[in-house]
Amino acid sequence: MFKYKFLVLVVLVLSLVVASCAPAATATVAPTTAVATTAATEAAASPAATSAPLAASIVYTNTGGDWGTCSATAFEDTFTKNFGVKVIEGPAVDDGQLRAMVDTANYTEDVVFPSVGFVVDPLGAKYLEPIDYNLIDKSELLAGTYTKYAVAQDLFSFAFGYRTDKGPAPTKWEDFFDTTNFPGKRGLVSWDYTTVIIGALLADGVAPDQLLPLDYNRAFKKLDTIKNDIVWYDTGSAGQDLLATGEVRFIQLYANRITSLKESGSPVDILWDGQIIQADYIGVPKGDPNAATAMKFIANDVSADVNGLFTNCETGAPSNTKATINAEKQKDFPTSHLDQRYVISSSEEIATYVAQHADELSNAFNEWKGN
Amino acid sequence: MSERNPVSRFSRAIGRTWHPSPALLLIPGLLVILFLFLWPLGQMIYFSFTDPTVGFANYVRFFETPSEIRSLITTMEVSFLSTLICAIVGYLYSYTMLRSSKTVSNLLMVAVVLPMGVSILVRTFSLQAILRDTGIINQTLLNLGIIKQPLPLIRNSFAVAVGIVSMELPFMVLPMYNSMVQINNKLLLAGEGLGATPLRVFIDIFFPLSLPGVLAGSLIVFVSSLAYYIVPQLLGSGGQLFLSQDIAHWVQDQAEFGYGAAIGVILLLLTLGTLFIASFFINIDKALTQSTGGK
C-alpha cells in the first residue's frame, strides 16, 4: 500500500513541475515560428499575392443575434459567392484569447475583432498581421478608420440617449453633466474608459481636435460633479435595459441600441452632439496560416460593393465612403451627423496615444471609479 | 487460493503473487484532477511569477495599488457581513424547522434546497429585477405613495449581501439543522426541571450545543462568498469590486494574464488561510459532510 501512495504522490509532483515548465517551452517556441511565417508571407505577398492558393474555409467571428444574421448575409455570403471559400462562424474572441492564440500558435479564428489597444504598435506588431493594402483602396475609406494592423468593417458610436418622459429634453452634450436642470441617473460604460474620459473632456469645453494628451484628471473632476448619479453598465444590452426600463434618465450608449429602442416605441430619443465614433476593427492574428485568405475576406468586407450591405438590416455606418447604403436608415447613421460635434476615438492618433498610456489610463480610471 | 480466483491463476502464471490494491481505482479520478485542475492551476501560478517579468513584480504591484487593496478589503468585509446575516437568518430558519411539525419541517427544507436547482445567473437576474429602481419593491412603494424617490436597494453592498445570503442560505441551514436535530431534548427538559427559565435553557444549553453547526455553516458560507463573481457583478456598484471581478477585468479586458493570475493566487491563499485558521476551531471534515446533509 505504501508503494502505491508514494507512486501517486511522485506522479502528482512531477506533473506540477512539468506543467510549470511547459508554458516556458511553448512561449519561446511560438515567437520564433511566428517570425518565420511572417517573413515568408511578406516575401510571398508582393509578387505572389493573387496566385497564392485560397484556404478551403476560414473562421470569422460572429457573435449571433440580429447583428450576427445581418453580418452573415452582408459579409460571409458575399465572400463565399465571390471567392468560393467557406466561412465558418466562430465565437467572440476577447483580447486575452487573442493573445493566447498567438502565443501558443493555436489559431481558432482567422478574422477577429481586436480592441483598439491592439491595432497599433506595440501590441499590433506582436499580435496582428499587417493589413495587405495592395487589396484595399485606402482612398475610399473614411479618415481615421484604418491602421497598419486593422481596418474598420463598420463604424459605431456612443451617443447621448435620453428618456423623453422624465422632463425636458437636453439640447447639447453638456446637459449630461447638468444635474441642476436635468436631475436623474446617468448611465456610463464601465469598460471603455477612453469613451468616458473623452466624453467628460468634451463636456468640459475641450475641442475635439485638442483632446490629446488626454487630461484624465480634468475628466475625473468633471465626472465627480455627477458621481452620485452614475450607473455603470457592463454590456451593451445591460445599458439598453437601463434606458428601456427608465432606470436611468440619460445614458452614453451605442447609437444603434438607442435608435432601435426608439423605433420599437420606447419613450427615448437620441442626441448626436458629442458622439464618439469608433471602428469595428477587423484583423488577422499574427502567424495565422490562413492569413492570405483572411486578408481577401477583409478586402471584400471594406470594398465599395459590400461594405454598405449590412445597412439593409442593421444600423451603423460603413467605413467606405463610396459604399451603397440603405437610404431609409441613413438618418440613424453616425456618419450622417458629422455636422455636429464628434470624435473618432479609434483613429490612429488617439488609438496610438491610448495604447501607449493604457496602463496609466486604466489604473487611474479604476482608482477613480473605486472611490 | 481456489481455482475460481482469477488473481491466483494469473499469479501462478507469472510465478509470483500479485494482489492489486484497491488504491489503483483512484488513478482515473486522480488523472482527471491532474489534467483538468492541477495542471491549469500550476500554469496560472507559474504565470503569476513570470509574466511579464520573472519575480514577485505582480504581487508587489497588487499591494502597492490602493484600489486593489480596497477590493481585497471589500471582498472580506462584504463576505463577513453576508455570513453574519446568513447565520442569523439561517439560525431562525433552522430553529423554526426544528420546532414545527414534520410536514412543515419538510416543506421548509424543500423550500430552502429547491432553488439551488435554478441557475445562479437566473436567480441573480431576478434579484436585480426585484431590487432595482424600476423593480417590484420600489415601484410598489412608489405607487402606494409610501416613498417619493426610489430606495437605493441595488448597486451597493446591501444588494450584494442580499444576493449572497439568498444563494448561500441552504449551505447555512443544512449544517445548522443537522446539529440542532442531534440535541437531546432530555437535556432541555432537565434544565427546565432544575428551575431554569426558557431563556436560560436556550442560552445555557441549546445554543452552545448548536454552536458547532453554526460555525461549520459560517465557515462554508464565508469561504464560498469570497469567490463570488456573478452576484457582485450584477448587483454591486461598478466601483466596489470583489477580487473575482478584478481578475476578470485584468484577464479579459486588459489581457494581463500574469497580474490576473497573481490576484487569483492571492484569493486562493486567502481562502486556504481562512480554512487553516478555522481548522483550529472546527473539525473541517465534519463541517463539509454536514453541509451536504451527509450525502
Side-chain angles (χ1 to χ4, degrees), chain B residues 14 16-17 19 34 42 47 51 67 80 135 143 150 205 211 277 279:
Chain B
I14 61 174
R16 76 172 87 97
T17 48
H19 300 286
L34 184 70
F47 277 148
D51 176 25
S67 66
F80 183 75
N143 289 334
I205 305 176
L211 214 49
I277 295 173
S279 68

Side-chain angles (χ1 to χ4, degrees), chain B residues 169-189:
Chain B
L169 199 61
F171 300 106
M172 181 65 85
V173 166
L174 283 167
M176 273 188 180
Y177 182 67
N178 245 320
S179 76
M180 283 185 186
V181 145
Q182 286 164 19
I183 296 174
N184 197 337
N185 255 334
K186 296 208 170 59
L187 292 169
L188 304 174
L189 284 174

